[in-house]
Amino acid sequence: MIFNICLVIVIILTLVMILGYNRFIKANNAVKESTSAIDVLLKQRFDLLPNIIECVKGYAKHEKTTLEELVKLRNSYNSNGFSVSEAEKIDKKFVPIMALAENYPELKANEQYLSLQNNLVEIENKINDARLQYNSRVTTFNNLVESVPSNIVAKTFGFEKQELFKANEDEKQNIKVSL
C-alpha cells in the first residue's frame, strides 16, 4: 500500500516536472522567435542603410564620420549576431542620422529619400512592435523562472531570467543634431 502511494507521488512529481519543463521550453522558444523577428527587421533596416547613407552623403558631406561609424556598427552587428546591447548601440547612432534630414530641406523633398524614409518608418514601427512582443514573451518566461512551483523546475534545469529591451538614458533625451 505504501509502495503504491509512493509510486503515485513519484509519478505525479515526474509529470509535474515534465509539464513544467515543457512550459519552459515553449516560453524559451517564444523568446527565441521574438529575438529572430527583431533580428530580421534590423537586417531589413540595415539593408536600407547603404541607400539612405548614399542619399544623405550627397547633402551632408561633412557628416561622413558619423555615417562611416554607423556602417561599422552595422557590419559589427551583422558579424556578431543578435544582442540587446548591440541593437541598442546601433539605435543610438541611427536616430541622429535620420534627424539630419531636418537640416537639409532639399533632401527632405528628394523622392528617393522620401521613399527610403517611408520604408524605414514602416520597418521602425515593425521593430517597435517586435520589441514589445519580445518584452512580453521575456516577461512571461521570467515569471515562470521566479514563480512557485515553476521556479523549482527552472533551478533544476538551469533556466535563468532573460534581458528585456529597455531604453538607456541617452535614448530618453531629445535628439540634438549639430552641424
Side-chain angles (χ1 to χ4, degrees):
M1 176 85 162
I2 292 181
F3 176 76
N4 289 340
I5 293 172
C6 288
L7 184 61
V8 168
I9 291 173
V10 167
I11 290 172
I12 290 172
L13 289 175
T14 302
L15 285 174
V16 167
M17 290 297 275
I18 290 170
L19 293 174
Y21 180 79
N22 287 340
R23 283 180 61 202
F24 272 102
I25 294 300
K26 287 177 185 174
N28 194 38
N29 286 340
V31 170
K32 287 179 183 176
E33 178 186 12
S34 295
T35 300
S36 178
I38 292 170
D39 215 18
V40 166
L41 291 168
L42 289 174
K43 175 84 170 97
Q44 286 177 353
R45 180 172 76 177
F46 294 154
D47 289 345
L48 279 176
L49 277 178
N51 296 328
I52 291 170
I53 287 170
E54 287 305 313
C55 197
V56 173
K57 269 185 185 177
Y59 291 90
K61 293 194 186 313
H62 61 283
E63 299 295 339
K64 185 179 177 190
T65 352
T66 309
L67 295 169
E68 286 172 352
E69 192 174 334
L70 187 59
V71 170
K72 284 179 190 171
L73 279 171
R74 173 187 180 261
N75 292 337
S76 166
Y77 181 88
N78 283 341
S79 62
N80 295 332
F82 179 85
S83 87
V84 172
S85 61
E86 283 294 315
E88 288 171 350
K89 275 190 224 173
I90 291 167
D91 288 345
K92 184 178 174 184
K93 288 288 180 190
F94 185 73
V95 173
I97 295 297
M98 295 314 296
L100 280 174
E102 297 300 318
N103 294 311
Y104 298 96
E106 313 85 35
L107 177 61
K108 290 192 301 186
N110 180 292
E111 218 175 282
Q112 179 188 5
Y113 180 77
L114 289 175
S115 172
L116 292 168
Q117 190 176 34
N118 288 337
N119 288 337
L120 195 58
V121 166
E122 183 181 330
I123 289 173
E124 289 298 322
N125 289 335
K126 288 178 181 178
I127 288 171
N128 287 334
D129 291 344
R131 285 180 176 166
L132 289 172
Q133 185 176 34
Y134 171 85
N135 280 347
S136 174
R137 288 178 171 179
V138 167
T139 299
T140 299
F141 181 85
N142 289 346
N143 287 340
L144 283 172
V145 170
E146 294 179 309
S147 60
V148 176
S150 59
N151 64 343
I152 297 167
V153 176
K155 287 177 186 172
T156 303
F157 293 103
F159 291 106
E160 295 179 1
K161 286 178 64 177
Q162 302 214 9
E163 183 181 2
L164 292 169
F165 257 110
K166 57 189 173 288
N168 62 35
E169 287 306 312
D170 292 340
E171 292 170 330
K172 293 178 184 178
Q173 305 298 321
N174 284 333
I175 300 166
K176 294 178 183 161
V177 179
S178 57
L179 300 175

